[in-house]
Amino acid sequence: MQKPRVLITGFGPFPGMPENPSAWLAESLAERWPQAGIDDDLHTRVLPTEWEAAALIPRLCETLQPHVMIHFGVCENAKALRIERSAHNRAAPRADAKGALPLGPAIRAAGPDRLDTPIPASALARHLNSAGVSAVTSHCAGQYLCNFLYYHALDWAAAQSRPRLALFVHVPPPAASFSEERLLHGAQEIARFVLAFAAEQEPATRLA
């Protein structure tokens, strides 16, 4: 049987965040993937924190055809891992790493106001807390590039003929109390949980 294809992304630096821990996390998770006992087909990307780059996620998904997508980004106010339930069809007029602004206030004209992940966020948060990693759920991924990318990912997943799963997780900034090892442990547990959930779904990862 073909192994599920997994796409994991992080973001590069942006104004006010010269070191983005989500980039380190995506790269480190790829290095630890075999040691974590996960043998799925993994693809990782560290994306420039730019509106234009994030808008290319559907094109990347068309190329890779991932069965599971786990996207990481940093939230400056987070004290725990934030499991994002939803993405909203809105983009704040905030400059990206190149100084560019989004094309408009809506991510996709005439698109749904909100898209939700089918991954059970509350159950995932409980799993992480039981594994010693502080986690909470959130109904709002913001209005910046994290929400922008998440909306595109969920929109692409919803348009596929077979189930595809997407999740966005906000991580605390470097100054928070999370050590790198704890952050990586949390990311590994997220991957295990999401892949186990995917395996339970109708041929979601069974594989087209």
Side-chain angles (χ1 to χ4, degrees):
M1 180 182 294
Q2 181 187 354
K3 295 177 181 179
R5 286 181 295 278
V6 181
L7 172 62
I8 291 180
T9 71
F11 276 114
F14 60 92
M17 187 64 60
E19 292 185 14
N20 193 326
S22 70
W24 172 87
L25 185 58
E27 293 170 340
S28 299
L29 192 56
E31 294 173 1
R32 294 281 190 94
W33 201 249
Q35 296 95 312
I38 306 171
D39 63 353
D40 301 289
D41 181 15
L42 175 66
H43 301 262
T44 59
R45 298 288 189 278
V46 174
L47 304 173
T49 309
E50 300 168 8
W51 298 104
E52 185 178 24
L56 296 178
I57 275 291
R59 187 182 302 176
L60 176 61
C61 290
E62 282 300 312
T63 300
L64 293 177
Q65 290 292 312
H67 302 94
V68 171
M69 295 171 277
I70 305 174
H71 304 289
F72 292 101
V74 65
C75 175
E76 296 162 279
N77 299 319
K79 307 296 185 186
L81 297 183
R82 283 180 42 176
I83 313 303
E84 300 294 349
R85 298 177 184 271
S86 308
H88 298 265
N89 192 10
R90 60 194 184 205
R94 181 178 170 187
D96 64 14
K98 288 175 60 177
L101 298 174
L103 295 178
I107 296 171
R108 185 164 75 79
D113 289 339
R114 190 187 80 200
L115 294 170
D116 299 325
T117 181
I119 296 167
S122 294
L124 174 52
R126 287 194 298 272
H127 172 76
L128 289 169
N129 281 297
S130 68
V133 181
S134 299
V136 298
T137 62
S138 167
H139 290 278
C140 179
Q143 299 183 56
Y144 195 41
L145 278 141
C146 293
N147 176 74
F148 187 79
L149 180 146
Y150 198 19
Y151 189 93
H152 278 299
L154 288 169
D155 188 52
W156 180 85
Q160 305 312 299
S161 59
R162 295 204 178 186
R164 299 292 186 256
L165 298 175
L167 179 70
F168 198 99
V169 179
H170 271 118
V171 304
S177 59
F178 266 66
S179 66
E180 288 186 344
E181 195 61 33
R182 190 160 156 234
L183 190 59
L184 185 54
H185 173 55
Q188 290 173 324
E189 289 301 317
I190 290 168
R192 290 192 183 98
F193 181 97
V194 172
L195 288 167
F197 176 79
E200 295 172 358
Q201 307 307 297
E202 195 264 331
T205 57
R206 202 188 289 207
L207 288 162

